[in-house]
Amino acid sequence: MWYSGSSALLRATIALSGSLLVLAKAPLHLTPDEVRWLAVGPTFVVVLGGFAAAAMSDRVSRLTVMQIGVILSTLCTLLILVSQNFEQLLILRLITGIGLGFTSRRRFRSPPS
């Protein structure tokens, strides 16, 4: 195996939360473009979270970086419940994506010789 870890949970979390945005469309008066941004935005920032996690794990342990990611994504996900408008919801979704990037970091091993 060339890498350890699984990103299936990450993909399921992003897909499920993006599909549930349809339910927030009416109460927050979201346009179709805003729903698209809310669905796709976190997927893009997961990559940024992965890069940040790689840089941080050089200074602190991988476990600490993953714990920060879990706490960050959990808190922001809970705060989504009280968001009042598109801007708040987008910021929380993007921060959640960064947190998920922290938790999805994989450790690559060199190929066998």
Side-chain angles (χ1 to χ4, degrees), residues 71-91:
I71 291 169
L72 187 65
S73 61
T74 302
L75 287 177
C76 288
T77 300
L78 291 173
L79 286 173
I80 285 173
L81 294 172
V82 295
S83 61
Q84 299 295 314
N85 56 34
F86 167 73
E87 290 80 14
Q88 291 175 356
L89 189 57
L90 180 64
I91 290 169

Side-chain angles (χ1 to χ4, degrees), residues 40-96:
V40 174
T43 305
F44 288 122
V45 295
V46 164
V47 175
L48 299 176
F51 285 129
M56 286 179 63
S57 68
D58 290 340
R59 295 192 174 99
V60 296
S61 70
R62 282 186 208 131
L63 178 62
T64 302
V65 172
M66 291 185 79
Q67 288 172 337
I68 291 169
V70 168
I71 291 169
L72 187 65
S73 61
T74 302
L75 287 177
C76 288
T77 300
L78 291 173
L79 286 173
I80 285 173
L81 294 172
V82 295
S83 61
Q84 299 295 314
N85 56 34
F86 167 73
E87 290 80 14
Q88 291 175 356
L89 189 57
L90 180 64
I91 290 169
L92 289 170
R93 295 262 307 150
L94 294 176
I95 295 171
T96 301

